[in-house]
């Protein structure tokens, strides 16, 4: 089973990077896609958009990421929640990498997921707001990702773990990390 860890946090001393390090202990042979250190540009530029409807790309990193995802059985996405949503670099990853004829095809007004070989997807997010606040009062930023976007790509086994109040207690963060580590 090939596990891929996707991270897009710019600060290498963040709790997101602590999570990444912990997951690398559990999955030492995992492939890491670090969007920041790769220099991934999340913006959909004119060259990208010109090729988008064909399922093609201008950014060579897109091809690299698609190749990695083609061999992935388990995908773990590690991301902060900023302003009640995912950072632009993560959103841009979905916009630019998950292209037609790679992540999905179109059939009579609906999308048919092509990434069905990815048997499990785990989304791990961190932020100030607790998960219940995100779900009930902030538009549930992970709800659409889980129930629509990833599903349209063929990803069906999706779990979400969120660590709110991340800046309050390092000891609490470690306790949470140990608990989640057993579930991941």
């Amino acid at each position: 089973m090939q596990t891929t860890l996707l991270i897009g946090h710019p600060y290498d001393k963040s709790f997101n990077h602590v999570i990444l390090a912990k997951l690398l202990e559990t999955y030492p042979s995992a492939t890491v896609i670090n969007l920041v250190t790769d220099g991934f540009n999340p913006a959909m530029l004119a060259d990208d958009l010109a090729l988008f409807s064909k399922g093609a790309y201008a950014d060579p990193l897109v091809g690299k990421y698609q190749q990695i995802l083609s061999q992935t059985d388990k995908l773990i996405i590690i991301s902060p929640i900023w302003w009640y949503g995912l950072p632009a670099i993560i959103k841009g990853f979905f916009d630019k990498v998950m292209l037609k004829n790679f992540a999905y095809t179109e059939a009579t007004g609906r999308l048919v997921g092509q990434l069905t070989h990815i048997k499990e997807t785990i989304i791990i997010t961190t932020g100030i707001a607790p998960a219940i606040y995100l779900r009930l009062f902030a538009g549930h930023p992970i709800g659409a990702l889980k129930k629509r976007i990833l599903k349209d790509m063929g990803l069906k086994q999706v779990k979400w773990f969120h660590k709110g109040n991340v800046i309050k207690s390092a000891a609490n963060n470690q306790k949470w990390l140990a608990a989640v580590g057993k579930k991941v």
Side-chain angles (χ1 to χ4, degrees), residues 10-161:
Y11 183 52
D12 64 359
K13 304 235 183 313
S14 69
F15 189 53
N16 279 216
H17 283 274
V18 171
I19 294 167
L20 175 65
K22 181 70 171 173
L23 291 172
L24 284 169
E25 290 174 12
T26 304
Y27 303 101
S29 63
T31 300
V32 176
I33 297 175
N34 187 325
L35 299 171
V36 174
T37 59
D38 286 351
F40 178 70
N41 180 356
M44 182 72 78
L45 302 175
D47 290 346
D48 301 305
L49 200 51
L51 299 170
F52 181 81
S53 66
K54 299 172 189 163
Y57 51 87
D59 184 342
L61 282 173
V62 170
K64 174 185 172 184
Y65 297 154
Q66 287 183 348
Q67 179 62 34
I68 291 168
L69 291 171
S70 293
Q71 299 168 9
T72 297
D73 300 298
K74 183 173 192 170
L75 175 62
I76 303 174
I77 302 165
I78 307 161
S79 176
I81 298 287
W82 290 338
W83 286 106
Y84 311 111
L86 297 173
I89 201 161
I90 300 287
K91 174 69 169 79
F93 176 84
F94 288 110
D95 291 344
K96 290 176 71 172
V97 176
M98 302 305 190
L99 296 172
K100 182 168 57 171
N101 301 324
F102 171 71
Y104 66 93
T105 57
E106 295 174 296
T108 335
R110 64 182 181 90
L111 303 182
V112 179
Q114 299 299 299
L115 300 180
T116 56
H117 61 279
I118 300 176
K119 300 300 180 199
E120 184 179 15
T121 303
I122 298 170
I123 305 163
I124 301 174
T125 57
T126 61
I128 304 301
I132 194 159
Y133 185 86
L134 294 173
R135 280 189 203 108
L136 298 178
F137 303 109
H140 198 350
I142 302 304
L145 179 62
K146 273 181 68 173
K147 295 178 182 172
R148 187 72 281 139
I149 297 167
L150 296 177
K151 186 176 181 182
D152 285 345
M153 294 176 198
L155 306 173
K156 293 189 171 84
Q157 296 295 325
V158 181
K159 298 176 191 165
W160 175 44
F161 301 99

